[in-house]
Amino acid sequence: MRDNPFSMLYRGLKALLPAAALWAVLVCVFCCMPGPSHVRSAAAGLSAEAILEAKLREAGASDVQEWIDGTLAPQDIGSAEWYILALSQYGDYDFTAYRAAAETHISREAVTGAAALKLGIALASSGSGSGFIAESIREAAGEQGIMNRIFGLHLLENGFLCPDVTRAELVDAILSLQFEDGGFALFGKNGDVDVTAMTVQALTPAYLSGEDPRVTEAVDRALLFLSGRQEPSGGYSGFGAENAESAAQVLTALSGLGIDCAADSRFIREGHTIT
């Protein structure tokens, strides 16, 4: 894997499943896009290469670099972030055009809240050292809402500094939002699979360091929650429907922790695994 700021998150994933880092993120994005549900759910059965081929055909691009330069860079600021993150883990691509387009977009339009943090993550994974990254943490990571704190923590854990927001503050805030069932969610009083998995991803560096017993306990409780929410098929449901996006989020979370979901009995149901 290339050595870039977000290698830590996906190192375990790549070790366990070839190309799974790209697969998981592409499935997450693909399944959230508008379109027929049978098309979106079909993404779960595709390899990363097959999903890439479909995206290249859709964009009319001959290869990934042309897709980055011709579609993701000039047209999709605001919706291309996870593709950029995934591709930065998958191959040796040139993100110069994307960085230039993102900088131009930032100079012309205000980007705030979670959107700013997502763009900051994409810029960081593309090799940018833009001051916007730290600014996005300062402006958005302390706002109400778990996703802002999750995205902000990812940036801080990957070496980006913000004098006004600390890693400890974000960890404390996230831990305070855990529900009695062990899960996390955007709202309500019960955990949600997707948000819980994304929270585990953000807390992974702190968990692996073993430096804070509160983090260890919180992540272990979250893993019990995710184990308990696994469907008999081995997959996961979100908002009442089994879907590939939820499964991909859990796959990413488990693999980042070094948990082999194909062998760990906590994540096998009736002989079925997430994969």
Side-chain angles (χ1 to χ4, degrees):
M1 181 186 294
R2 294 175 60 208
D3 183 17
N4 68 46
F6 285 83
S7 292
M8 179 186 295
L9 177 60
Y10 293 107
R11 187 172 291 123
L13 193 63
K14 293 280 280 189
L16 289 170
L17 296 167
L22 178 65
W23 179 88
V25 179
L26 286 178
V27 167
C28 287
V29 178
F30 189 77
C31 293
C32 289
M33 292 294 189
S37 59
H38 70 279
V39 174
R40 296 198 308 272
S41 62
L46 300 177
S47 67
E49 290 78 8
I51 296 175
L52 268 180
E53 289 175 7
K55 296 306 296 183
L56 294 181
R57 287 196 299 271
E58 180 184 315
S62 60
D63 56 33
V64 173
Q65 191 63 58
E66 184 179 341
W67 181 38
I68 294 170
D69 295 342
T71 301
L72 297 182
Q75 300 176 20
D76 280 354
I77 299 299
S79 60
E81 291 87 354
W82 300 144
Y83 288 125
I84 296 298
L85 172 59
L87 292 170
S88 76
Q89 302 299 302
Y90 188 67
D92 190 16
Y93 303 113
D94 182 354
F95 296 100
T96 302
Y98 176 80
R99 290 194 298 270
E103 293 285 359
T104 300
H105 181 82
I106 293 165
S107 70
R108 292 176 177 174
E109 297 184 32
V111 185
T112 60
L117 287 162
K118 287 169 59 180
L119 185 53
I121 288 173
L123 282 168
S125 64
S126 71
S128 173
S130 170
F132 174 82
I133 299 171
E135 182 67 14
S136 72
I137 302 172
R138 186 181 72 81
E139 290 291 339
E143 291 183 1
Q144 198 69 21
I146 191 170
M147 295 312 303
N148 285 0
R149 287 156 177 164
I150 286 172
F151 295 155
L153 183 57
H154 274 306
L155 288 169
L156 291 178
E157 289 286 16
N158 281 278
F160 294 91
L161 302 178
C162 176
D164 301 315
V165 181
T166 69
R167 173 178 175 270
E169 288 171 344
L170 291 184
V171 169
D172 287 346
I174 290 171
L175 295 182
S176 73
L177 297 173
Q178 189 167 29
F179 296 125
E180 290 185 7
D181 63 8
F184 297 83
L186 298 178
F187 49 80
K189 296 183 178 180
N190 299 304
D192 167 77
V193 168
D194 295 52
V195 177
T196 301
M198 295 176 78
T199 304
V200 170
Q201 293 165 31
L203 292 173
T204 289
Y207 181 85
L208 294 178
S209 74
E211 64 190 31
D212 188 339
R214 298 175 308 147
V215 173
T216 301
E217 179 185 1
V219 172
D220 286 344
R221 289 179 60 208
L223 290 174
L224 286 174
F225 170 84
L226 292 173
S227 174
R229 293 290 292 272
Q230 190 173 21
E231 300 289 346
S233 64
Y236 281 87
S237 296
F239 294 97
E242 190 169 343
N243 65 90
E245 196 271 343
S246 296
Q249 291 288 8
V250 177
L251 173 63
T252 303
L254 297 182
S255 298
L257 291 169
I259 296 172
D260 185 349
C261 59
D264 193 307
S265 61
R266 293 174 296 175
F267 297 97
I268 299 174
R269 290 291 178 274
E270 299 179 13
H272 300 292
T273 70
I274 304 173
T275 58

